[in-house]
């Protein structure tokens, strides 16, 4: 898919759809009672969650047809762009650490962050399911590509390698993406540290750039060396917080930070990022990194001597 002006318009249209429907109209479903507090999955009721899933599915479905014939590639962007509006409007993580200052409260907060990425990834997946349904309904030809794994030639045998090898590569892709994205989040998502060995709460602009860039690097590596798609770096966002907690935020570290450090300080930059920010920006960064790798491969094959 070339980034022509008409494709830029398609991307803008799909992004606009997600921003208006999910980012603006659906905002009251997730808005915290205190506007200074962060957006959390716990803010959304069960009925609100069902409505968000339906809206995400509808955005993916409509985005496919808006962006046709590149609906598979562009339609998936609607929901993440909409959720990015929430990520930007949300209060910072430090509001939660200021509210939960006791060691037990801080430990409960940290542990609650482990599973929350799954909630936001569910909404992104609902949008992707809408795209898949639209693709099935239209029954596209061979011109539309699948990004779930390595691509094969139409004349190649149906099974070019054992399924086990593909599953292993997908698992490797997730592990590689977790390692790379966590490392580069620590590099890119930074504010001036006010104490040795601690990361301060970064500005929202720094979070947007840093998370997207970190996952773009991970997706570039996954595509370039494993020939797999942006799905697996996006899935890796499920595990970033859990891995960072294991490495940097054990019970003793939680106690130390709760008792001796100011609320805006964290042992690693990952803990200054809300799950909604991590998943949505990570998804957009993964798509960006994938297409950068595709473009790089094209450049190497056709534009170098």
């Amino acid at each position: 898919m070339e980034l022509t002006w008409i494709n830029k318009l398609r991307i803008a249209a799909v992004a606009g759809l997600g921003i208006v429907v999910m980012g603006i109209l659906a905002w009251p479903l997730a808005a915290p009672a205190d506007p200074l507090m962060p957006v959390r999955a716990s803010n959304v009721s069960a009925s609100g969650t069902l409505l968000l899933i339906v809206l995400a599915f509808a955005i993916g479905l409509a985005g496919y047809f808006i962006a046709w014939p590149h609906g598979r590639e562009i339609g998936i962007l609607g929901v993440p762009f909409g959720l990015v509006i929430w990520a930007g409007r949300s209060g910072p993580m430090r509001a939660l650490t200021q509210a939960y200052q006791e060691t037990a409260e801080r430990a409960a907060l940290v542990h609650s962050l482990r599973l929350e990425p799954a909630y936001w990834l569910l909404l992104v997946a609902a949008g992707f399911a809408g795209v898949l349904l639209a693709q099935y309904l239209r029954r596209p030809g061979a011109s539309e590509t699948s990004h779930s794994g390595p691509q094969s030639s139409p004349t190649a045998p149906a099974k070019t390698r054992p399924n086990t090898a593909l599953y292993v590569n997908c698992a490797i892709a997730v592990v590689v993406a977790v390692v790379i994205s966590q490392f580069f989040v620590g590099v890119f998502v930074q504010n001036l540290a006010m104490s040795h060995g601690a990361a301060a709460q970064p500005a929202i602009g720094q979070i947007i750039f840093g998370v997207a860039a970190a996952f773009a690097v991970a997706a570039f590596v996954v595509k370039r060396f494993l020939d797999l798609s942006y799905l697996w770096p996006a899935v890796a966002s499920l595990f970033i917080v859990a891995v960072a907690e294991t490495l940097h935020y054990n019970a003793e570290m939680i106690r130390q930070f709760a008792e001796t450090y100011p609320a805006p300080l964290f042992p690693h930059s990952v803990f200054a990022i809300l799950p909604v920010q991590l998943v949505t920006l990570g998804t957009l960064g993964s798509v960006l990194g994938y297409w950068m790798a595709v473009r790089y491969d094209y450049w190497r094959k056709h534009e170098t001597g």
Side-chain angles (χ1 to χ4, degrees), residues 60-110:
L61 187 71
Y64 177 90
F65 292 107
I66 290 173
W68 186 86
H70 299 294
R72 175 67 181 266
E73 294 85 354
I74 298 175
I76 61 170
L77 299 177
V79 174
F81 269 113
L83 293 178
V84 162
I85 302 300
W86 294 7
R89 295 182 66 174
S90 173
M93 179 63 78
R94 70 168 179 266
L96 288 176
T97 55
Q98 287 170 341
Y100 303 112
Q101 297 187 9
E102 298 297 328
T103 301
E105 295 176 332
R106 189 71 62 85
L109 170 63
V110 172

Side-chain angles (χ1 to χ4, degrees), residues 27 69 122 180 191 195 200 203 282 289:
W27 167 249
L122 174 64
I180 293 177
N191 200 341
S195 179

Side-chain angles (χ1 to χ4, degrees), residues 179-190 210-211 213-215 217-218:
V179 173
I180 293 177
S181 56
Q182 181 167 271
F183 173 79
F184 280 102
V185 162
V187 172
F188 295 146
V189 185
Q190 290 194 29
V211 175
F215 277 83
V217 173

Side-chain angles (χ1 to χ4, degrees), residues 23-50:
I24 298 175
L25 298 181
W27 167 249
L29 296 174
D34 184 347
L36 298 180
M37 294 298 287
V39 173
R40 300 288 309 276
S42 57
N43 297 340
V44 189
S45 65
S47 59
T49 298
L50 291 176

Side-chain angles (χ1 to χ4, degrees), residues 150 161 169-170 172-174 176 221-228:
R161 59 180 176 179
N169 275 357
C170 292
I172 293 173
V174 172
V176 168
V221 172
V222 167
K223 169 59 180 172
R224 185 75 181 83
F225 297 100
L226 295 174
D227 196 24
L228 293 174

